Structure formats: C-alpha cells, structure tokens
Amino acid sequence: MSMPATFVPPPGARAYSLRTARGEFAVVDAPVADGVEPRGVALLLPGFTGSKEDFNPLHVPLAERGYRTVAVDGRGQYESDGPEEDQSAYAREELARDVLAQVEAIGTPVHLLGHSLGGQISRAAVLIDHSPFLSLTLMASGPAQISVSQQQRVKLLRDALSVMTMAQVWDAMQAMEAPEETDTGKLDGGLNDRDDLRRRWLANKPAQLLATGRQLCTEPDRVAELAAVPLPFHVLSGALDDTWPLALLDDMAARLKARRTVIEGAEHSPNTDQPLATARAIADFWQTHPGRG
C-alpha cells in the first residue's frame, strides 16, 4: 500500500470532481507555478490500493517546471464512485475508456503517467487510442503479471474480501504488517496517517479491488503492441522493486526503445520515496518530448 506524506493537496492545487462523458472522477489539479512558462498538461494514474494523493509530492516540483498535473482516482477508487459488487464495471477496457474520457474532459493533449496498476491501465488506453497523448511514462509498472510473491499477497486479499468486510480486512492487514510498516508518523495538522489510510481503504469499492487484483495477476505481455504505437515512452522505477524485478523493467524499456530511469533510494513508489528526483526525471523527459502542444 502506498503511503503519501499527506492527504492535503499542495498549495495552489484544487480538489474537485472532473465531469466526463463516463461519469465524475475525483481529481487533484495543480496549475503551473506563478511566473513559469506553461509547457504542458499531465494526467497521473495511481496504482492498486492507491489514490490521487500518492502524487501530492510531485505537483509542486512539476509545476515549477511548467506542467499542470491532474491526478485522478479511477472508477471505484477512493473518492471516485463505482459499483460495489459488479466487477464487470472494472474490466480493463472499461477503465481504459475512463482515461480517454478524462483526457477529453481536460480538453487538451496530455502526457500520461501511470504508477503500477495505473501504468497497465494507461497502456490499455493508449492501445485503444493514442491520439490524445503526447507521451507515456510507466512508473514501477511492468510488462505483464506481477511477481509470484505479489500474486500470493493479492490472492490473500481477494480471499479475505470474499468473506470479510472492508473494515475487517483492514484490521487483519494491520495485524499482519511489520511494526516499521505501521509506524509511519504524522500527517499535516497532527493527524495520525493511519486514520487517513484507513479512510481511503474503506472508500474503495470491493468489486474494484477484486477485478483489478485479478488483472494484476493475469495481465498478458502487450509490449510488442505498445512498441508499435508512435509515442515516446519512459520506463521509470526505484532501484528496488519486488512487484516487477528491475531486469523485467530494463527489458521492457529496451523493447519499447524507451528512456529508462532508475531512482536511487526508492522502491515501488518513487513518487513518495524520492519525489524531487522523480519529478526531475519526469519533467526532463516531458521537456524532451513536447509533442503537438
């Protein structure tokens, strides 16, 4: 589970519901910094059990480089609504078409960035229609299914969700975590971040977790399809990652002829582990590929 430093949007950013042809989606929308020449717009998709708040540390440094960033909760994820039990609503193509609707609502071509599960949803959107996108960054997101160890964790979660409430599953997960994973300090305002993480967890729709968890465990390798799309690609990860081994990410980058960035001191969530280095690498890539804008 990703652990953002704060659930409070950064200064200047606005949290609201983005209205699209496929419903409303909760976003954090951060404008370009004052006095900085606008260079483009980016749509940021979070990973499994994550949310738009995972990108809070990136908004300000990217705004200072001239980029408006819109981070979004996917359908059934945290503050975006979705069916409680209908897993078909969370099929990969449905989530991909949500992304296309979000870009249409933003109203301009965007740089697309997806973290983990968000990367695979981003890939599916690009494969349906690449025309709204200027580039694709896959952050800690691999070519196919997640590692065996992570598949086992997802299976445990899916088994638990079949017989327990979301609140009961949360309590069970906390009992299983190592002490250093549960003692994550304080949020802005002195609130314990476990309260915010619990609130986020309880807001997720069980059907979304079941459907996307299955997808992570069965995702086929679609790198060859993606390589045929005329977009610039960026494969970014931390220096350690147990969800997709770095060798797989290196190979994927080579197959895509993509820029490859490894963030030292970061693991599966470089956006929260090393946000300044991560933002610098992302902006450097976007600046190299301004696209049609």
Side-chain angles (χ1 to χ4, degrees), residues 60-114:
V60 170
L62 290 174
E64 292 173 347
R65 292 288 298 271
Y67 294 98
R68 173 191 170 197
T69 46
V70 182
V72 60
D73 289 334
R75 183 189 305 201
Q77 187 177 49
Y78 189 30
E79 294 181 321
S80 290
D81 199 12
E84 291 273 349
E85 300 180 358
D86 179 12
Q87 294 187 40
S88 66
Y90 304 104
R92 178 56 47 84
E93 182 171 342
E94 294 297 317
L95 299 179
R97 293 194 180 278
D98 287 345
V99 175
L100 295 172
Q102 291 156 12
V103 180
E104 183 180 14
I106 291 171
T108 184
V110 303
H111 295 285
L112 183 60
L113 182 150

Side-chain angles (χ1 to χ4, degrees), residues 60-200:
V60 170
L62 290 174
E64 292 173 347
R65 292 288 298 271
Y67 294 98
R68 173 191 170 197
T69 46
V70 182
V72 60
D73 289 334
R75 183 189 305 201
Q77 187 177 49
Y78 189 30
E79 294 181 321
S80 290
D81 199 12
E84 291 273 349
E85 300 180 358
D86 179 12
Q87 294 187 40
S88 66
Y90 304 104
R92 178 56 47 84
E93 182 171 342
E94 294 297 317
L95 299 179
R97 293 194 180 278
D98 287 345
V99 175
L100 295 172
Q102 291 156 12
V103 180
E104 183 180 14
I106 291 171
T108 184
V110 303
H111 295 285
L112 183 60
L113 182 150
H115 174 226
S116 195
L117 171 68
Q120 297 198 331
I121 295 171
S122 297
R123 178 172 73 179
V126 167
L127 289 174
I128 293 172
D129 181 6
H130 70 272
S131 63
F133 305 110
L134 303 175
S135 71
L136 173 60
T137 296
L138 301 171
M139 183 167 69
S141 185
Q145 73 273 11
I146 55 178
S147 66
V148 172
S149 64
Q150 291 301 311
Q151 289 183 44
Q152 293 170 345
R153 290 175 67 111
V154 171
K155 185 180 184 301
L156 282 174
L157 173 59
R158 291 174 56 201
D159 289 347
L161 285 171
S162 69
V163 295
M164 300 166 70
T165 66
M166 291 289 285
Q168 289 170 331
V169 172
W170 171 263
D171 291 340
M173 289 192 301
Q174 300 314 291
M176 293 172 63
E177 294 287 2
E180 62 270 19
E181 293 179 303
T182 57
D183 181 18
T184 53
K186 302 292 182 179
L187 281 178
D188 292 351
L191 298 175
N192 191 309
D193 63 355
R194 304 312 293 182
D195 294 337
D196 290 270
L197 292 171
R198 182 178 186 276
R199 177 168 51 86
R200 177 174 71 176

Side-chain angles (χ1 to χ4, degrees), residues 247-291:
L248 278 179
L249 300 177
D250 293 342
D251 178 70
M252 181 177 69
R255 293 165 65 193
L256 291 173
K257 297 182 173 57
R259 175 177 295 198
R260 178 73 173 105
T261 301
V262 176
I263 304 298
E264 295 299 328
E267 298 187 19
H268 187 59
S269 296
N271 44 312
T272 56
D273 294 342
Q274 295 290 340
L276 294 181
T278 300
R280 185 182 311 114
I282 293 167
D284 287 348
F285 170 68
W286 289 343
Q287 190 169 332
T288 305
H289 300 283

